[in-house]
Amino acid sequence: MSLSQWLRRLYSLDTLDTRFTTSSKTPLSAAPIDPTRPLPGETNGTTSGAIKPDSGATPSKWRTPEFVLYCMVVSICLIKMFRVSYEISKPSHPNYAKYSSSLSPGWIPGRKFDDTDAQYSTFRENIPYMLVVLVLHPLLRRLYDFFITTRDGSVESMLQAKAGSYSSQVSVADDRLTHRVTFDLYFALIFICALNGFSALKVFMILYVNFTLATRLPKEYIPSATWFFNIGMLFANELCDGYSYASLANTLSPWSPYSKVSTGNGFTDNWGSFLDSYGGLNPRWHILFKITTLRLVSFNLDYYWSLGRGNVSPVEVSITSRTNGYKITKADYHKKKQLDPRNLSERDRVDSPAKQQDYSFRNYLAYVLYSPLYLAGPILTFNDYISQQRYQPQSITTSRTLLYGIRFLICLLSMEIMLHYIYVVAISKANPAWELYTPFELSMLGYFNLHIIWLKLLLPWRFFRFWALLDGMDPPENMVRCMSDNYSAPAFWRAWHRSYNRWIVRYIYIPLGGSGTYGFWGNARAVFNYLVVFTFVALWHDISMKLLMWGWLITIFILPEALASYLFPKRRWQNHKTAYRVICGIGAVANILMMMVANLVGFALGLDGLQGLVHGIAGSYSGLVFLATACVALFMAVQVMFEIRESELRQGINLKC
């Protein structure tokens, strides 16, 4: 294999996640899953189960004069963007003195490191410890499996002995589930206690109450109780700052002499302060508990939907619709198909309910506290977790996992190099004198701030997914496209934090009615549902007005695209594809500008910082000229994005983002 072929495979969508190149309805054994196989479009024939090329895809335009010009302009712009960002980060710049003290010594000779982003700084500091766990966890899993194999006999002999009947094969799968869940649970208990110290008791209490709500309440109360409890916990955890034991001790027994303990220097303090002093590696447990809340909801609602199954076998059921909100009738289960539980498609793994006995407290704890995905995800539904524990996904191969790990290291190196040479985060946090920057420089401050946000989120998500892949679990990839390769607001959110988006769609958007019907009222309903969704997303991230405004801005900025889709439906432009592409390009430029504004408000500069940035860019004649020029360049970049997606369609890949 040549270097170019290896690089193509390294950066192929198939290496990133087989979900991108295989239909969600296609069982994995029917799909091409080996990364050494030809990529989509490299062979004339098609493999059974692979996504077939889209008949509506247009012929390639890459070698036309139009797109040669576009690619040349985009390449020149990229070089200038990096150069300008490097220039404003030099010590010779007048603003350098305002933020130089916040820079740290770097590992690249002669360069300092922008360590001002707290989120990435925390991840970076803990990389050595996470690497130890990354190696230790799979090794302990293999030792445990070896012990079980030695005690119960070889797996091969068990399979040979039990392969005679379907029920025997199911028994083998049940044994695998039991063994894996047992290890997951014991490791998770140690992991959570080391991570959160005595605060782990608070986590266990919340988990127990949530499980009790799902399994003890009458069926009709489960959804409302689940949402009320978990949204209430998001607010309570934040407002009470994680419920310090010291505050609890003073509240519960302020008059009791037993609330005091002696300290080494002769002073006294309550017993709560003693417990708080052993907060583990992450004393602020409630900050990262938000991702756990999503798994609590997933278990409860998956369990609730399983209650409508009756006596139907879970491996013979395909849930076809949930248009009645959370109410599932027997009609939903009338369309049956014989499913091989060893070879379910992704959709079947998610939608097919687990067995009733699988919704046990032990499985629930193992799922919610599953160590590789506990801190940051990606998010697996409970049904998918149980299915993958029974039968290892065929998408996991040694070569693909290795290539995925290499891609993570390349992303990490890219982030490190960028923060050694481009100090846009430190500049933005130093309240700089915006008037010292040209409009182009100001736009690059905003642009690279967003890029660093993208990378700082991508890195932990890919690290923890890599850990899960090493452990034999295949969660969804969170980041589908580079931040710069997006032009549609709804499509952007389908590609950004993808597993969270899928969770939102399954547990909020579809029960609300989704996009409803086509036409004006269907779009209006979709916009209302987007408002509900992004309000929840904003509050889930942080209970702050800044993020709430971000969520509402996202919804407002979706309106023009929804209206344009209604006024310019694609089906009416089949005979004028070039004109339609130009119209879409103009709208996409406006979309990109609006998305940048919303995300800068929510995650980087806030309203005050954004006002200074916008005034510096659009507050002068030269700034307006730059803005017009930038829009022309963006239009060309959008045309390149369009053609990238057409290329994917020609290969049979439709990511819908």
Side-chain angles (χ1 to χ4, degrees):
M1 181 185 299
S2 66
L3 177 61
S4 63
Q5 288 177 320
W6 184 82
L7 288 174
R8 286 193 66 193
R9 302 199 183 283
L10 177 65
Y11 285 100
S12 71
L13 289 169
D14 190 67
T15 295
L16 194 59
D17 194 339
T18 56
R19 295 169 177 86
F20 301 154
T21 56
T22 305
S23 169
S24 62
K25 301 177 183 178
T26 303
L28 290 174
S29 67
I33 61 170
D34 188 353
T36 62
R37 67 174 175 81
L39 294 172
E42 287 186 349
T43 59
N44 294 327
T46 58
T47 307
S48 173
I51 303 176
K52 297 180 180 179
D54 193 314
S55 58
T58 59
S60 175
K61 302 182 184 68
W62 289 120
R63 297 186 180 181
T64 63
E66 177 190 4
F67 275 81
V68 169
L69 173 64
Y70 292 161
C71 291
M72 287 177 60
V73 171
V74 170
S75 299
I76 293 170
C77 288
L78 286 173
I79 294 171
K80 288 184 68 65
M81 289 161 64
F82 278 96
R83 182 176 178 179
V84 165
S85 302
Y86 170 69
E87 292 291 334
I88 62 177
S89 301
K90 283 185 174 181
S92 57
H93 194 277
N95 257 333
Y96 183 80
K98 293 191 79 172
Y99 64 85
S100 59
S101 59
S102 62
L103 301 178
S104 305
W107 54 266
I108 295 179
R111 298 300 306 176
K112 290 189 175 182
F113 179 78
D114 186 350
D115 199 27
T116 54
D117 187 282
Q119 198 170 5
Y120 179 69
S121 177
T122 301
F123 174 77
R124 189 174 187 257
E125 290 172 358
N126 287 286
I127 285 177
Y129 309 107
M130 292 189 296
L131 287 176
V132 171
V133 180
L134 179 72
V135 174
L136 184 63
H137 179 264
L139 286 178
L140 290 176
R141 167 85 74 185
R142 281 158 179 74
L143 286 174
Y144 176 80
D145 290 343
F146 176 78
F147 169 76
I148 293 297
T149 301
T150 304
R151 188 188 66 182
D152 298 341
S154 70
V155 175
E156 290 78 13
S157 63
M158 289 172 61
L159 291 174
Q160 292 175 0
K162 296 186 176 182
S165 66
Y166 174 78
S167 59
S168 298
Q169 294 173 14
V170 171
S171 176
V172 172
D174 288 341
D175 289 343
R176 184 179 190 273
L177 171 68
T178 300
H179 295 154
R180 285 188 61 88
V181 165
T182 300
F183 176 84
D184 285 346
L185 180 58
Y186 288 142
F187 188 91
L189 293 177
I190 298 172
F191 182 73
I192 298 304
C193 290
L195 192 67
N196 298 326
F198 281 112
S199 290
L201 298 174
K202 306 168 192 175
V203 174
F204 295 140
M205 179 61 69
I206 294 172
L207 266 56
Y208 176 76
V209 173
N210 182 76
F211 180 81
T212 303
L213 291 175
T215 56
R216 301 288 179 86
L217 286 178
K219 177 186 172 183
E220 59 270 21
Y221 297 125
I222 294 176
S224 56
T226 294
W227 284 113
F228 181 82
F229 173 73
N230 283 284
I231 292 178
M233 291 310 303
L234 286 176
F235 278 88
N237 292 347
E238 184 74 18
L239 297 176
C240 297
D241 198 28
Y243 323 102
S244 70
Y245 284 113
S247 299
L248 289 174
N250 287 329
T251 301
L252 296 177
S253 54
W255 58 85
S256 174
Y258 298 102
S259 66
K260 304 292 183 179
V261 295
S262 298
T263 59
N265 55 8
F267 295 97
T268 60
D269 206 347
N270 65 36
W271 54 266
S273 298
F274 172 77
L275 296 180
D276 287 333
S277 65
Y278 294 91
L281 299 174
N282 178 37
R284 292 177 59 79
W285 63 274
H286 57 288
I287 302 299
L288 296 176
F289 188 77
K290 296 171 184 177
I291 200 79
T292 305
T293 302
L294 305 181
R295 288 189 285 268
L296 300 185
V297 173
S298 177
F299 173 84
N300 283 19
L301 295 185
D302 281 2
Y303 172 71
Y304 166 74
W305 286 324
S306 76
L307 297 177
R309 185 180 69 219
N311 295 322
V312 180
S313 170
V315 297
E316 294 180 344
V317 171
S318 175
I319 300 176
T320 56
S321 68
R322 293 197 179 98
T323 56
N324 295 326
Y326 288 116
K327 296 181 180 179
I328 298 180
T329 63
K330 291 183 179 179
D332 292 316
Y333 297 95
H334 284 171
K335 291 186 178 181
K336 299 181 183 180
K337 57 183 178 182
Q338 293 295 326
L339 302 177
D340 182 355
R342 299 166 300 178
N343 187 33
L344 296 176
S345 68
E346 188 205 10
R347 179 171 296 183
D348 290 329
R349 288 205 314 263
V350 172
D351 283 348
S352 298
K355 300 177 182 179
Q356 281 299 296
Q357 61 266 30
D358 290 337
Y359 296 95
S360 64
F361 188 64
R362 184 198 62 165
N363 291 355
Y364 164 76
L365 283 180
Y367 161 68
V368 172
L369 302 177
Y370 180 59
S371 301
L373 307 181
Y374 177 76
L375 291 174
I379 304 158
L380 272 178
T381 68
F382 178 79
N383 290 343
D384 198 359
Y385 171 81
I386 291 296
S387 178
Q388 293 195 44
Q389 293 288 50
R390 274 201 168 87
Y391 304 97
Q392 178 169 316
Q394 298 186 43
S395 58
I396 298 178
T397 64
T398 302
S399 54
R400 180 180 287 109
T401 302
L402 177 61
L403 289 173
Y404 188 85
I406 292 173
R407 286 188 66 160
F408 164 77
L409 292 175
I410 292 173
C411 290
L412 179 62
L413 181 62
S414 300
M415 181 67 151
E416 287 289 306
I417 292 174
M418 185 180 296
L419 292 178
H420 275 82
Y421 287 93
I422 299 176
Y423 303 144
V424 293
V425 180
I427 294 172
S428 301
K429 289 179 179 287
N431 296 318
W434 300 108
E435 64 274 9
L436 294 177
Y437 297 96
T438 67
F440 187 23
E441 291 170 345
L442 287 171
S443 65
M444 290 304 97
L445 282 173
Y447 175 79
F448 278 100
N449 257 293
L450 292 176
H451 248 291
I452 288 171
I453 291 171
W454 174 72
L455 269 173
K456 76 173 184 180
L457 294 174
L458 177 143
L459 287 169
W461 286 338
R462 286 202 175 166
F463 176 86
F464 291 119
R465 182 169 185 259
F466 179 57
W467 180 3
L469 290 172
L470 291 175
D471 190 46
M473 296 289 286
D474 186 8
E477 170 64 25
N478 264 342
M479 290 292 198
V480 181
R481 297 192 188 276
C482 174
M483 185 212 75
S484 298
D485 187 15
N486 289 279
Y487 57 84
S488 164
F492 174 78
W493 293 113
R494 281 195 290 269
W496 179 286
H497 205 168
R498 184 169 175 266
S499 67
Y500 184 38
N501 175 268
R502 288 153 60 94
W503 183 94
I504 289 286
V505 169
R506 176 172 171 80
Y507 298 110
I508 299 180
Y509 189 66
I510 295 299
L512 284 174
S515 57
T517 58
Y518 291 104
F520 176 80
W521 291 112
N523 286 330
R525 181 172 185 175
V527 170
F528 172 78
N529 291 341
Y530 274 127
L531 178 62
V532 176
V533 163
F534 279 106
T535 299
F536 171 81
V537 170
L539 294 175
W540 178 80
H541 277 91
D542 192 11
I543 302 173
S544 68
M545 183 55 65
K546 183 176 75 171
L547 277 174
L548 199 57
M549 291 182 66
W550 163 82
W552 293 341
L553 279 174
I554 291 294
T555 306
I556 292 171
F557 291 161
I558 286 173
L559 283 173
E561 185 173 348
L563 182 61
S565 300
Y566 175 72
L567 295 176
F568 300 95
K570 185 177 182 179
R571 64 182 182 277
R572 295 183 183 176
W573 294 80
Q574 292 301 314
N575 297 326
H576 307 281
K577 291 185 178 180
T578 301
Y580 186 70
R581 175 163 58 84
V582 172
I583 293 172
C584 290
I586 295 171
V589 170
N591 259 354
I592 291 171
L593 294 176
M594 289 187 291
M595 286 193 292
M596 288 184 69
V597 166
N599 287 310
L600 284 171
V601 169
F603 295 101
L605 305 179
L607 270 180
D608 294 336
L610 181 69
Q611 288 173 356
L613 189 69
V614 171
H615 183 267
I617 294 175
S620 64
Y621 176 76
S622 61
L624 292 174
V625 171
F626 162 75
L627 187 60
T629 306
C631 287
V632 173
L634 277 176
F635 176 84
M636 295 183 179
V638 164
Q639 297 302 317
V640 173
M641 297 180 206
F642 289 165
E643 188 58 21
I644 289 173
R645 285 152 180 79
E646 288 295 321
S647 299
E648 292 170 354
L649 289 175
R650 289 191 287 271
Q651 297 175 5
I653 299 170
N654 184 8
L655 298 180
K656 299 180 181 179
C657 63

